[in-house]
Amino acid sequence: MAGHEPADEKAPHGAQAEGAHMGQPGQGVMPELDAEPMPAAEVPRANDGAALQIQLDAFLGDHEDRLIGFRRDLHMHPELGFDEHRTTKRIIEELTAVGLQPTVLPKGTGVICDIGPSDGPTVALRADIDALPLQDEKRVPYASTAARVCHACGHDVHTTVLLGAALFLARQAAEGLLPGRVRLLFQPAEEVAGGALSIMAAGGITDVDRIFALHCDPRFEVGQVGLRVGPITAACDRVSVKVTGTGGHTARPHLTGDLVYALAKIVTELPAALSRRVDPRSSLSLVWGRVVAGSVANAIPDEGLAEGTVRCLDDDAWHKAPEMMRSLLDSVAGAYDVKAELEYTRIVPPAVNEATSVQMVRDAASQVLGEEAVLPTPQSLGGEDFGWYLESIPGALARLGVRTPGGADYDLHRGDFDVDERSIAVGVRVMAATALTALWEGRRPAGAEPVEGAALA
């Protein structure tokens, strides 16, 4: 299986994976991205495309095997959200070894680290570092050693890619080639609520002009990058509806609130009614995952529960969803003489990619991988807490291809998920080049205000 061979016996890298194409970014926008071309930089660059390619080739020639080893170490020792103490320690060790000064977040996991001068623009690069509560089902030398904990979403790859980009950019800074500051955000707890917010509360995006991230995607082959302007992932919130009423015998439902029937009406009517209150292009959906009521067949209970998730791609609809749901719930419950209490928990907003930032990733990836490596990616209704950052500052989340060409597709959040480890070098190229492109070509417009409803507003 791809990525399972020893690091010193890897198959030869293909042109896309190695970034062998030396062409410059093409003019215009790739199909389905809907972005305007970036204007040519008005300041001279420290690196043209060919020079950057040579520098990245040399760096990865020295560091790729080491980075693969680092990824495998993380994969063997996965840690859940806000418990990533060993992972944090390993990141700190690698950053301090090259003279950087990382800071651990107040809760004890997660790292913030700056590279380069503070008198220019600041670009943030983010990676999530936590694992999932799943059993690792792979039979590989680097399988998880932690029971029922596994890096089944590629966060070990994200962390390794950001570390590789950090080591390369630290070298660039030492040579005076960074026209601004790069902020590294090794974020804890993406898979549970609070990871991105803990970074923001610690000042992680203070004075940041733009932010970028990559996420593993087995739908794309290694050497490919998927981009999209606008919503790329959906908002995802949790809802719980507790219904109470007068219980009694099933022979006399007219003397009760007939709670099970009322709960069934809430479960079936609420999703349909909610979807009719918003623009259908928002893809607002309520889906139930758990419904509980009663314990015997001939007794109407006095309490029931329904739990589910609300997902949508539109930021405005996301902000309005709780009040719309409360209004509809009161209407349906009132018709059946029961009381319904809604508990609505915000988890993540939609991740809405900003057009200029997407174009920067496109230019960078085209430069170091070749234009044919950059592809449009579909929207996902999965949640990603990178959306919290994009509520406050412009940026972009891109998809990193991790599937071996012609190989099996190991989907995310499965115990057998794995990657073609050549994707690590691809990710380092894209992240490093994106940071340099963003530093040279643009910053957040002067006086720009955070998006309304930002997490820290």
PDB file of all heavy atoms in Angstrom, residues 76-104:
ATOM      1  N   MET A  76       2.456   6.926  14.804  1.00  0.00           N
ATOM      2  CA  MET A  76       2.567   5.867  15.814  1.00  0.00           C
ATOM      3  C   MET A  76       2.101   6.330  17.187  1.00  0.00           C
ATOM      4  O   MET A  76       1.749   5.500  18.041  1.00  0.00           O
ATOM      5  CB  MET A  76       4.014   5.383  15.904  1.00  0.00           C
ATOM      6  CG  MET A  76       4.505   4.621  14.692  1.00  0.00           C
ATOM      7  SD  MET A  76       6.262   4.200  14.832  1.00  0.00           S
ATOM      8  CE  MET A  76       6.205   3.031  16.215  1.00  0.00           C
ATOM      9  N   HIS A  77       2.096   7.643  17.414  1.00  0.00           N
ATOM     10  CA  HIS A  77       1.772   8.174  18.740  1.00  0.00           C
ATOM     11  C   HIS A  77       0.696   9.257  18.621  1.00  0.00           C
ATOM     12  O   HIS A  77       0.927  10.425  18.968  1.00  0.00           O
ATOM     13  CB  HIS A  77       3.028   8.733  19.413  1.00  0.00           C
ATOM     14  CG  HIS A  77       4.128   7.739  19.555  1.00  0.00           C
ATOM     15  ND1 HIS A  77       5.148   7.611  18.618  1.00  0.00           N
ATOM     16  CD2 HIS A  77       4.369   6.796  20.505  1.00  0.00           C
ATOM     17  CE1 HIS A  77       5.971   6.652  19.000  1.00  0.00           C
ATOM     18  NE2 HIS A  77       5.526   6.138  20.130  1.00  0.00           N
ATOM     19  N   PRO A  78      -0.480   8.903  18.155  1.00  0.00           N
ATOM     20  CA  PRO A  78      -1.552   9.899  17.990  1.00  0.00           C
ATOM     21  C   PRO A  78      -2.126  10.329  19.330  1.00  0.00           C
ATOM     22  O   PRO A  78      -2.110   9.569  20.309  1.00  0.00           O
ATOM     23  CB  PRO A  78      -2.599   9.134  17.170  1.00  0.00           C
ATOM     24  CG  PRO A  78      -2.422   7.707  17.605  1.00  0.00           C
ATOM     25  CD  PRO A  78      -0.942   7.540  17.818  1.00  0.00           C
ATOM     26  N   GLU A  79      -2.638  11.555  19.371  1.00  0.00           N
ATOM     27  CA  GLU A  79      -3.221  12.095  20.598  1.00  0.00           C
ATOM     28  C   GLU A  79      -4.497  12.860  20.269  1.00  0.00           C
ATOM     29  O   GLU A  79      -4.562  13.555  19.248  1.00  0.00           O
ATOM     30  CB  GLU A  79      -2.221  13.013  21.297  1.00  0.00           C
ATOM     31  CG  GLU A  79      -0.956  12.292  21.763  1.00  0.00           C
ATOM     32  CD  GLU A  79       0.134  13.236  22.228  1.00  0.00           C
ATOM     33  OE1 GLU A  79       0.509  14.135  21.438  1.00  0.00           O
ATOM     34  OE2 GLU A  79       0.603  13.081  23.363  1.00  0.00           O
ATOM     35  N   LEU A  80      -5.496  12.743  21.119  1.00  0.00           N
ATOM     36  CA  LEU A  80      -6.779  13.400  20.899  1.00  0.00           C
ATOM     37  C   LEU A  80      -6.705  14.885  21.232  1.00  0.00           C
ATOM     38  O   LEU A  80      -5.742  15.362  21.833  1.00  0.00           O
ATOM     39  CB  LEU A  80      -7.851  12.716  21.736  1.00  0.00           C
ATOM     40  CG  LEU A  80      -8.114  11.241  21.413  1.00  0.00           C
ATOM     41  CD1 LEU A  80      -9.153  10.667  22.360  1.00  0.00           C
ATOM     42  CD2 LEU A  80      -8.547  11.061  19.964  1.00  0.00           C
ATOM     43  N   GLY A  81      -7.756  15.611  20.857  1.00  0.00           N
ATOM     44  CA  GLY A  81      -7.810  17.054  21.015  1.00  0.00           C
ATOM     45  C   GLY A  81      -7.555  17.540  22.428  1.00  0.00           C
ATOM     46  O   GLY A  81      -8.126  17.008  23.385  1.00  0.00           O
ATOM     47  N   PHE A  82      -6.691  18.531  22.556  1.00  0.00           N
ATOM     48  CA  PHE A  82      -6.252  19.138  23.816  1.00  0.00           C
ATOM     49  C   PHE A  82      -5.472  18.164  24.697  1.00  0.00           C
ATOM     50  O   PHE A  82      -5.236  18.457  25.873  1.00  0.00           O
ATOM     51  CB  PHE A  82      -7.434  19.737  24.590  1.00  0.00           C
ATOM     52  CG  PHE A  82      -8.017  20.958  23.944  1.00  0.00           C
ATOM     53  CD1 PHE A  82      -9.367  20.996  23.619  1.00  0.00           C
ATOM     54  CD2 PHE A  82      -7.229  22.061  23.648  1.00  0.00           C
ATOM     55  CE1 PHE A  82      -9.918  22.124  23.014  1.00  0.00           C
ATOM     56  CE2 PHE A  82      -7.759  23.186  23.048  1.00  0.00           C
ATOM     57  CZ  PHE A  82      -9.103  23.212  22.735  1.00  0.00           C
ATOM     58  N   ASP A  83      -5.071  17.030  24.126  1.00  0.00           N
ATOM     59  CA  ASP A  83      -4.201  16.097  24.845  1.00  0.00           C
ATOM     60  C   ASP A  83      -2.932  15.822  24.041  1.00  0.00           C
ATOM     61  O   ASP A  83      -2.244  14.834  24.265  1.00  0.00           O
ATOM     62  CB  ASP A  83      -4.957  14.791  25.120  1.00  0.00           C
ATOM     63  CG  ASP A  83      -4.253  13.920  26.161  1.00  0.00           C
ATOM     64  OD1 ASP A  83      -3.641  14.484  27.095  1.00  0.00           O
ATOM     65  OD2 ASP A  83      -4.294  12.677  26.029  1.00  0.00           O
ATOM     66  N   GLU A  84      -2.601  16.714  23.116  1.00  0.00           N
ATOM     67  CA  GLU A  84      -1.488  16.487  22.186  1.00  0.00           C
ATOM     68  C   GLU A  84      -0.157  16.927  22.794  1.00  0.00           C
ATOM     69  O   GLU A  84       0.587  17.717  22.205  1.00  0.00           O
ATOM     70  CB  GLU A  84      -1.728  17.237  20.868  1.00  0.00           C
ATOM     71  CG  GLU A  84      -3.109  17.069  20.255  1.00  0.00           C
ATOM     72  CD  GLU A  84      -4.041  18.214  20.616  1.00  0.00           C
ATOM     73  OE1 GLU A  84      -3.867  18.818  21.698  1.00  0.00           O
ATOM     74  OE2 GLU A  84      -4.949  18.517  19.821  1.00  0.00           O
ATOM     75  N   HIS A  85       0.165  16.442  23.974  1.00  0.00           N
ATOM     76  CA  HIS A  85       1.360  16.899  24.691  1.00  0.00           C
ATOM     77  C   HIS A  85       2.643  16.384  24.041  1.00  0.00           C
ATOM     78  O   HIS A  85       3.600  17.150  23.853  1.00  0.00           O
ATOM     79  CB  HIS A  85       1.288  16.468  26.152  1.00  0.00           C
ATOM     80  CG  HIS A  85       0.155  17.091  26.899  1.00  0.00           C
ATOM     81  ND1 HIS A  85       0.180  18.400  27.322  1.00  0.00           N
ATOM     82  CD2 HIS A  85      -1.054  16.590  27.274  1.00  0.00           C
ATOM     83  CE1 HIS A  85      -0.962  18.685  27.940  1.00  0.00           C
ATOM     84  NE2 HIS A  85      -1.726  17.603  27.923  1.00  0.00           N
ATOM     85  N   ARG A  86       2.680  15.112  23.692  1.00  0.00           N
ATOM     86  CA  ARG A  86       3.882  14.584  23.045  1.00  0.00           C
ATOM     87  C   ARG A  86       4.068  15.230  21.673  1.00  0.00           C
ATOM     88  O   ARG A  86       5.187  15.588  21.286  1.00  0.00           O
ATOM     89  CB  ARG A  86       3.788  13.064  22.901  1.00  0.00           C
ATOM     90  CG  ARG A  86       5.038  12.443  22.273  1.00  0.00           C
ATOM     91  CD  ARG A  86       4.859  10.949  22.019  1.00  0.00           C
ATOM     92  NE  ARG A  86       6.089  10.358  21.507  1.00  0.00           N
ATOM     93  CZ  ARG A  86       6.486  10.395  20.248  1.00  0.00           C
ATOM     94  NH1 ARG A  86       5.741  11.032  19.339  1.00  0.00           N
ATOM     95  NH2 ARG A  86       7.624   9.831  19.869  1.00  0.00           N
ATOM     96  N   THR A  87       2.971  15.367  20.924  1.00  0.00           N
ATOM     97  CA  THR A  87       3.048  15.992  19.597  1.00  0.00           C
ATOM     98  C   THR A  87       3.582  17.413  19.709  1.00  0.00           C
ATOM     99  O   THR A  87       4.452  17.831  18.928  1.00  0.00           O
ATOM    100  CB  THR A  87       1.655  15.995  18.943  1.00  0.00           C
ATOM    101  OG1 THR A  87       1.159  14.650  18.881  1.00  0.00           O
ATOM    102  CG2 THR A  87       1.710  16.580  17.547  1.00  0.00           C
ATOM    103  N   THR A  88       3.070  18.164  20.672  1.00  0.00           N
ATOM    104  CA  THR A  88       3.540  19.531  20.887  1.00  0.00           C
ATOM    105  C   THR A  88       5.031  19.554  21.218  1.00  0.00           C
ATOM    106  O   THR A  88       5.785  20.385  20.692  1.00  0.00           O
ATOM    107  CB  THR A  88       2.735  20.188  22.017  1.00  0.00           C
ATOM    108  OG1 THR A  88       1.353  20.288  21.623  1.00  0.00           O
ATOM    109  CG2 THR A  88       3.261  21.573  22.350  1.00  0.00           C
ATOM    110  N   LYS A  89       5.459  18.645  22.063  1.00  0.00           N
ATOM    111  CA  LYS A  89       6.877  18.583  22.433  1.00  0.00           C
ATOM    112  C   LYS A  89       7.746  18.302  21.213  1.00  0.00           C
ATOM    113  O   LYS A  89       8.805  18.924  21.038  1.00  0.00           O
ATOM    114  CB  LYS A  89       7.083  17.495  23.489  1.00  0.00           C
ATOM    115  CG  LYS A  89       8.532  17.358  23.942  1.00  0.00           C
ATOM    116  CD  LYS A  89       8.683  16.244  24.987  1.00  0.00           C
ATOM    117  CE  LYS A  89      10.140  16.081  25.401  1.00  0.00           C
ATOM    118  NZ  LYS A  89      10.311  14.983  26.391  1.00  0.00           N
ATOM    119  N   ARG A  90       7.310  17.382  20.345  1.00  0.00           N
ATOM    120  CA  ARG A  90       8.093  17.062  19.146  1.00  0.00           C
ATOM    121  C   ARG A  90       8.191  18.273  18.217  1.00  0.00           C
ATOM    122  O   ARG A  90       9.242  18.529  17.625  1.00  0.00           O
ATOM    123  CB  ARG A  90       7.449  15.887  18.417  1.00  0.00           C
ATOM    124  CG  ARG A  90       7.526  14.576  19.173  1.00  0.00           C
ATOM    125  CD  ARG A  90       8.944  13.986  19.161  1.00  0.00           C
ATOM    126  NE  ARG A  90       9.288  13.497  17.829  1.00  0.00           N
ATOM    127  CZ  ARG A  90      10.209  14.029  17.043  1.00  0.00           C
ATOM    128  NH1 ARG A  90      10.890  15.098  17.426  1.00  0.00           N
ATOM    129  NH2 ARG A  90      10.469  13.498  15.864  1.00  0.00           N
ATOM    130  N   ILE A  91       7.101  19.011  18.081  1.00  0.00           N
ATOM    131  CA  ILE A  91       7.121  20.203  17.235  1.00  0.00           C
ATOM    132  C   ILE A  91       8.086  21.234  17.810  1.00  0.00           C
ATOM    133  O   ILE A  91       8.897  21.822  17.069  1.00  0.00           O
ATOM    134  CB  ILE A  91       5.700  20.796  17.122  1.00  0.00           C
ATOM    135  CG1 ILE A  91       4.775  19.829  16.371  1.00  0.00           C
ATOM    136  CG2 ILE A  91       5.734  22.156  16.426  1.00  0.00           C
ATOM    137  CD1 ILE A  91       3.305  20.182  16.494  1.00  0.00           C
ATOM    138  N   ILE A  92       8.013  21.459  19.099  1.00  0.00           N
ATOM    139  CA  ILE A  92       8.898  22.422  19.762  1.00  0.00           C
ATOM    140  C   ILE A  92      10.361  22.034  19.548  1.00  0.00           C
ATOM    141  O   ILE A  92      11.226  22.894  19.258  1.00  0.00           O
ATOM    142  CB  ILE A  92       8.576  22.495  21.266  1.00  0.00           C
ATOM    143  CG1 ILE A  92       7.190  23.113  21.491  1.00  0.00           C
ATOM    144  CG2 ILE A  92       9.655  23.272  22.016  1.00  0.00           C
ATOM    145  CD1 ILE A  92       7.111  24.588  21.211  1.00  0.00           C
ATOM    146  N   GLU A  93      10.677  20.760  19.692  1.00  0.00           N
ATOM    147  CA  GLU A  93      12.055  20.295  19.512  1.00  0.00           C
ATOM    148  C   GLU A  93      12.571  20.625  18.120  1.00  0.00           C
ATOM    149  O   GLU A  93      13.713  21.094  17.962  1.00  0.00           O
ATOM    150  CB  GLU A  93      12.130  18.781  19.746  1.00  0.00           C
ATOM    151  CG  GLU A  93      11.935  18.356  21.188  1.00  0.00           C
ATOM    152  CD  GLU A  93      11.816  16.851  21.341  1.00  0.00           C
ATOM    153  OE1 GLU A  93      11.690  16.149  20.304  1.00  0.00           O
ATOM    154  OE2 GLU A  93      11.826  16.369  22.482  1.00  0.00           O
ATOM    155  N   GLU A  94      11.763  20.385  17.116  1.00  0.00           N
ATOM    156  CA  GLU A  94      12.200  20.616  15.739  1.00  0.00           C
ATOM    157  C   GLU A  94      12.359  22.105  15.449  1.00  0.00           C
ATOM    158  O   GLU A  94      13.294  22.511  14.745  1.00  0.00           O
ATOM    159  CB  GLU A  94      11.188  19.998  14.764  1.00  0.00           C
ATOM    160  CG  GLU A  94      11.078  18.486  14.834  1.00  0.00           C
ATOM    161  CD  GLU A  94      12.331  17.775  14.348  1.00  0.00           C
ATOM    162  OE1 GLU A  94      13.087  18.367  13.542  1.00  0.00           O
ATOM    163  OE2 GLU A  94      12.565  16.620  14.767  1.00  0.00           O
ATOM    164  N   LEU A  95      11.472  22.934  15.957  1.00  0.00           N
ATOM    165  CA  LEU A  95      11.549  24.370  15.680  1.00  0.00           C
ATOM    166  C   LEU A  95      12.714  25.027  16.415  1.00  0.00           C
ATOM    167  O   LEU A  95      13.426  25.862  15.847  1.00  0.00           O
ATOM    168  CB  LEU A  95      10.235  25.042  16.065  1.00  0.00           C
ATOM    169  CG  LEU A  95       8.986  24.620  15.267  1.00  0.00           C
ATOM    170  CD1 LEU A  95       7.746  25.327  15.806  1.00  0.00           C
ATOM    171  CD2 LEU A  95       9.157  24.902  13.782  1.00  0.00           C
ATOM    172  N   THR A  96      12.900  24.661  17.672  1.00  0.00           N
ATOM    173  CA  THR A  96      13.998  25.270  18.431  1.00  0.00           C
ATOM    174  C   THR A  96      15.354  24.823  17.903  1.00  0.00           C
ATOM    175  O   THR A  96      16.347  25.565  18.027  1.00  0.00           O
ATOM    176  CB  THR A  96      13.874  24.930  19.927  1.00  0.00           C
ATOM    177  OG1 THR A  96      13.810  23.507  20.099  1.00  0.00           O
ATOM    178  CG2 THR A  96      12.631  25.563  20.525  1.00  0.00           C
ATOM    179  N   ALA A  97      15.421  23.654  17.295  1.00  0.00           N
ATOM    180  CA  ALA A  97      16.683  23.145  16.759  1.00  0.00           C
ATOM    181  C   ALA A  97      17.225  24.018  15.635  1.00  0.00           C
ATOM    182  O   ALA A  97      18.430  24.007  15.360  1.00  0.00           O
ATOM    183  CB  ALA A  97      16.510  21.706  16.271  1.00  0.00           C
ATOM    184  N   VAL A  98      16.334  24.787  14.971  1.00  0.00           N
ATOM    185  CA  VAL A  98      16.792  25.673  13.891  1.00  0.00           C
ATOM    186  C   VAL A  98      16.748  27.136  14.336  1.00  0.00           C
ATOM    187  O   VAL A  98      16.739  28.044  13.496  1.00  0.00           O
ATOM    188  CB  VAL A  98      15.960  25.467  12.608  1.00  0.00           C
ATOM    189  CG1 VAL A  98      16.194  24.073  12.040  1.00  0.00           C
ATOM    190  CG2 VAL A  98      14.471  25.716  12.846  1.00  0.00           C
ATOM    191  N   GLY A  99      16.709  27.363  15.633  1.00  0.00           N
ATOM    192  CA  GLY A  99      16.829  28.718  16.151  1.00  0.00           C
ATOM    193  C   GLY A  99      15.541  29.496  16.263  1.00  0.00           C
ATOM    194  O   GLY A  99      15.574  30.703  16.570  1.00  0.00           O
ATOM    195  N   LEU A 100      14.396  28.869  16.044  1.00  0.00           N
ATOM    196  CA  LEU A 100      13.122  29.569  16.181  1.00  0.00           C
ATOM    197  C   LEU A 100      12.687  29.584  17.645  1.00  0.00           C
ATOM    198  O   LEU A 100      13.208  28.830  18.470  1.00  0.00           O
ATOM    199  CB  LEU A 100      12.057  28.896  15.304  1.00  0.00           C
ATOM    200  CG  LEU A 100      12.345  28.924  13.798  1.00  0.00           C
ATOM    201  CD1 LEU A 100      11.289  28.144  13.032  1.00  0.00           C
ATOM    202  CD2 LEU A 100      12.426  30.357  13.279  1.00  0.00           C
ATOM    203  N   GLN A 101      11.716  30.440  17.949  1.00  0.00           N
ATOM    204  CA  GLN A 101      11.266  30.605  19.324  1.00  0.00           C
ATOM    205  C   GLN A 101       9.757  30.349  19.426  1.00  0.00           C
ATOM    206  O   GLN A 101       8.957  31.283  19.518  1.00  0.00           O
ATOM    207  CB  GLN A 101      11.622  32.005  19.827  1.00  0.00           C
ATOM    208  CG  GLN A 101      13.113  32.276  19.861  1.00  0.00           C
ATOM    209  CD  GLN A 101      13.437  33.678  20.341  1.00  0.00           C
ATOM    210  OE1 GLN A 101      12.720  34.636  20.048  1.00  0.00           O
ATOM    211  NE2 GLN A 101      14.521  33.801  21.094  1.00  0.00           N
ATOM    212  N   PRO A 102       9.368  29.110  19.424  1.00  0.00           N
ATOM    213  CA  PRO A 102       7.936  28.777  19.482  1.00  0.00           C
ATOM    214  C   PRO A 102       7.344  29.008  20.862  1.00  0.00           C
ATOM    215  O   PRO A 102       8.052  28.998  21.877  1.00  0.00           O
ATOM    216  CB  PRO A 102       7.916  27.283  19.126  1.00  0.00           C
ATOM    217  CG  PRO A 102       9.267  26.784  19.551  1.00  0.00           C
ATOM    218  CD  PRO A 102      10.219  27.913  19.309  1.00  0.00           C
ATOM    219  N   THR A 103       6.035  29.221  20.886  1.00  0.00           N
ATOM    220  CA  THR A 103       5.299  29.420  22.129  1.00  0.00           C
ATOM    221  C   THR A 103       4.180  28.386  22.210  1.00  0.00           C
ATOM    222  O   THR A 103       3.434  28.197  21.245  1.00  0.00           O
ATOM    223  CB  THR A 103       4.677  30.829  22.174  1.00  0.00           C
ATOM    224  OG1 THR A 103       5.723  31.803  22.103  1.00  0.00           O
ATOM    225  CG2 THR A 103       3.877  31.028  23.449  1.00  0.00           C
ATOM    226  N   VAL A 104       4.061  27.739  23.354  1.00  0.00           N
ATOM    227  CA  VAL A 104       2.985  26.773  23.574  1.00  0.00           C
ATOM    228  C   VAL A 104       1.741  27.521  24.031  1.00  0.00           C
ATOM    229  O   VAL A 104       1.818  28.477  24.809  1.00  0.00           O
ATOM    230  CB  VAL A 104       3.399  25.718  24.618  1.00  0.00           C
ATOM    231  CG1 VAL A 104       2.268  24.726  24.875  1.00  0.00           C
ATOM    232  CG2 VAL A 104       4.647  24.987  24.153  1.00  0.00           C
TER     233      VAL A 104
END
